[in-house]
Amino acid sequence: MPKPKYHIIVCTNSRPPGHPRGSCGEKGGSDVMMQFYEEMQNLGFFDQVLITGSTCTGPCQIGPMVIVYPEGTWYQKVTPSDVKEIMEEHIGKGKPVERLKVPDNLWG
Amino acid sequence: MPKPKYHIIVCTNSRPPGHPRGSCGEKGGSDVMMQFYEEMQNLGFFDQVLITGSTCTGPCQIGPMVIVYPEGTWYQKVTPSDVKEIMEEHIGKGKPVERLKVPDNLWG
């Protein structure tokens, strides 16, 4: 395998229903991951993209979280309908999707 | 939370015993992840390091795999006894551990 140019990490961590922190799994993280796989197929990005599911990344309240390396771009509240844009713009053209980025003031 | 300076990804993917590809889980990936958490505590790196477990990263035969960002350093065959060195040298001093790196010729 070639070394992946991009690594897309999707939080799929689950907690029981009603847990005070919620979870990316509860908010649809697994569906988001599956949509990334589907778009990878559609766009033929197999050789350049690694997609992995992840345990908890921290800011559960704004999940599902997606992190894209090498840029270290953190995306919040990602839905399956956002995935095509991330794949086409960020992965395809190298332009991170500003409207989905975690705002700077989240980081304390 | 502050934005993590380093993100350590440990593959903990499991397959059934005897599966031809093997798995990082079968080779001790979860123990490796737990050791990273322990060293994070020992070294007080809470504010700068995010540690997450991961689904399959690809090169199962040389697992357990560990990937460290922002450098995108891939480590192979990591055991719990290697973790302190990765934390002290790579995370603490910014010097990736050469002896554990995936060799360049793995990438086809």
Side-chain angles (χ1 to χ4, degrees):
Chain A
M1 62 185 270
K3 188 170 184 177
K5 185 176 172 189
Y6 288 100
H7 187 174
I8 298 169
I9 294 157
V10 183
C11 184
T12 56
N13 193 56
S14 280
R15 294 193 176 90
H19 189 287
R21 289 190 67 181
S23 69
C24 291
E26 186 186 40
K27 295 183 178 109
S30 292
D31 291 341
V32 170
M33 185 166 75
M34 287 304 118
Q35 194 64 36
F36 271 108
Y37 280 117
E38 190 164 322
E39 288 297 337
M40 181 170 67
Q41 279 196 312
N42 292 343
L43 296 165
F45 285 171
F46 295 104
D47 276 357
Q48 46 182 323
V49 179
L50 172 65
I51 299 164
T52 55
S54 165
T55 60
C56 185
T57 54
C60 319
Q61 70 282 9
I62 54 170
M65 304 303 302
V66 172
I67 308 171
V68 180
Y69 291 106
E71 291 86 358
T73 304
W74 285 59
Y75 292 119
Q76 67 178 352
K77 301 176 184 172
V78 179
T79 67
S81 64
D82 295 321
V83 168
K84 188 176 180 188
E85 185 176 354
I86 295 172
M87 287 295 263
E88 288 182 344
E89 295 299 313
H90 190 152
I91 307 304
K93 299 178 189 168
K95 295 177 184 168
V97 179
E98 297 295 330
R99 71 177 181 86
L100 295 170
K101 274 188 181 177
V102 169
D104 287 341
N105 63 7
L106 174 90
W107 308 109
Chain B
M1 61 185 269
K3 188 168 184 178
K5 185 176 172 189
Y6 288 100
H7 187 172
I8 299 170
I9 294 156
V10 183
C11 184
T12 55
N13 193 55
S14 280
R15 295 193 175 89
H19 189 288
R21 288 190 68 180
S23 69
C24 291
E26 185 185 43
K27 296 182 177 110
S30 292
D31 291 341
V32 170
M33 185 167 73
M34 288 303 119
Q35 195 64 36
F36 271 107
Y37 280 117
E38 191 163 322
E39 289 297 337
M40 181 170 66
Q41 280 198 311
N42 291 343
L43 296 164
F45 285 171
F46 295 105
D47 276 358
Q48 46 182 324
V49 180
L50 172 65
I51 299 165
T52 56
S54 165
T55 60
C56 185
T57 54
C60 318
Q61 70 282 8
I62 53 170
M65 303 302 303
V66 172
I67 308 172
V68 180
Y69 291 104
E71 291 85 359
T73 305
W74 286 58
Y75 291 120
Q76 66 177 353
K77 300 177 186 172
V78 178
T79 67
S81 64
D82 295 321
V83 167
K84 189 176 179 187
E85 185 176 354
I86 294 172
M87 287 294 263
E88 289 182 344
E89 296 299 313
H90 190 152
I91 307 304
K93 299 178 188 168
K95 295 178 183 169
V97 180
E98 297 296 329
R99 70 177 181 86
L100 295 170
K101 275 188 179 176
V102 169
D104 288 340
N105 63 10
L106 174 91
W107 308 109

